[in-house]
């Protein structure tokens, strides 16, 4: 998401290391490759995500170690057309599913823990589902992180977070709904973070 974050001038911890321009690979119909350069303020707007299937935990299924869904991308074709000849294709971005799901898990985990701390409580470590995923010790992403098939709107908000409680079996679970770059119609993710702390 670096080109998008640079174009939108989103805050970064290392502003001096942010690129001022980006090279976009272009492929001709006969397979030849070259690249075109865009200034960061004019690089094509590109969002890449994935519409995940629901978490296997809520489906009553065991963890599979796999992630299922479909790649989902939005980009500004007009910006590409300025430098893209007819019949040519551009590489608008790359996507790796495990780091992406781990990032969503981190956001959801932090959101739920912060909400509980604000309420004056904290779940015991044995009731938390995500630490091993966040630390890279488990690949059971989709047991706790998934999506839905609801229609995707384009609200004015850049990002959206929502905190919910749901009954699962004989206990409540705490869920963070995470939506990054909602204004571009990107998918939402439901992160099952932990059991409701016993009072």
């Amino acid at each position: 998401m670096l080109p998008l974050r640079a174009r939108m001038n989103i805050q970064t911890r290392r502003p001096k290391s942010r690129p001022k321009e980006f090279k976009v690979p272009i492929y001709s119909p006969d397979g030849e490759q070259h690249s075109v350069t865009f200034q960061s303020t004019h690089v094509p707007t590109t969002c890449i995500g994935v519409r995940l299937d629901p978490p296997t935990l809520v489906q009553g299924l065991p963890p599979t170690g796999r992630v299922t869904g479909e790649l989902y991308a939005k980009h500004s074709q007009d910006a590409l057309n300025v430098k893209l000849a007819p019949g040519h294709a551009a590489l608008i971005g790359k996507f790796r599913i495990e780091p992406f799901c781990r990032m969503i898990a981190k956001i959801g985990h932090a959101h739920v823990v912060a909400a509980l701390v604000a309420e004056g409580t904290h779940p015991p470590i044995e009731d938390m589902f995500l630490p091993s995923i966040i630390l890279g010790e488990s690949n059971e992403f989709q047991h706790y992180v998934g999506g839905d098939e609801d229609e995707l709107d384009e609200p004015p908000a850049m990002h959206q977070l929502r905190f919910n409680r749901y009954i699962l079996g004989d206990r409540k679970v705490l869920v963070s709904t995470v939506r990054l770059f909602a204004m571009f119609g990107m998918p939402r993710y439901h992160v099952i973070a932990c059991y409701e702390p016993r009072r």
Side-chain angles (χ1 to χ4, degrees):
M1 293 184 181
L2 180 58
L4 176 64
R5 293 172 58 230
R7 171 158 182 161
M8 299 180 68
N9 198 29
I10 294 174
Q11 184 176 351
T12 177
R13 286 177 293 179
R14 295 180 293 273
K16 291 183 179 179
S17 64
R18 172 170 281 171
K20 297 290 190 297
E21 59 184 30
F22 293 88
K23 292 185 182 297
V24 176
I26 303 294
Y27 300 88
S28 68
D30 58 9
E32 292 186 5
Q33 178 185 347
H34 68 283
S35 63
V36 295
T37 301
F38 290 89
Q39 295 299 310
S40 61
T41 53
H42 291 84
V43 68
T45 302
T46 302
C47 271
I48 302 176
V50 62
R51 291 199 72 160
L52 291 175
D53 293 332
T56 51
L57 180 62
V58 301
Q59 299 181 69
L61 301 174
T64 64
R66 296 182 295 114
V67 178
T68 58
E70 60 181 8
L71 193 65
Y72 189 86
K74 287 282 192 86
H75 69 280
S76 54
Q77 187 66 41
D78 289 347
L80 279 173
N81 286 343
V82 172
K83 299 188 178 184
L84 197 63
H88 288 60
L91 178 64
I92 61 172
K94 296 180 179 180
F95 184 83
R96 294 178 56 216
I97 189 66
E98 289 197 2
F100 183 82
C101 287
R102 186 169 289 115
M103 175 186 70
I104 298 296
K106 287 179 184 179
I107 294 169
H109 175 82
H111 178 214
V112 167
V113 170
L116 288 176
V117 169
E119 293 178 356
T121 186
H122 193 285
I125 189 66
E126 61 269 20
D127 284 347
M128 302 175 81
F129 303 140
L130 301 172
S132 62
I133 290 173
I134 292 170
L135 295 172
E137 299 167 354
S138 170
N139 67 345
E140 295 178 353
F141 301 104
Q142 203 156 359
H143 199 53
Y144 305 106
V145 180
D148 59 53
E149 296 182 355
D150 292 348
E151 184 177 347
L152 296 174
D153 58 351
E154 297 183 4
M158 182 179 296
H159 310 307
Q160 292 179 321
L161 287 174
R162 191 173 67 240
F163 176 63
N164 293 298
R165 290 175 163 88
Y166 295 104
I167 296 175
L168 192 64
D170 60 352
R171 291 193 67 178
K172 284 184 180 178
V173 292
L174 305 183
V175 178
S176 171
T177 298
V178 179
R179 196 174 181 202
L180 304 180
F181 298 103
M183 60 194 183
F184 295 127
M186 298 305 289
R188 65 183 61 82
Y189 306 99
H190 306 291
V191 182
I192 306 171
C194 62
Y195 286 117
E196 171 89 29
R198 297 186 188 275
R199 306 285 178 176

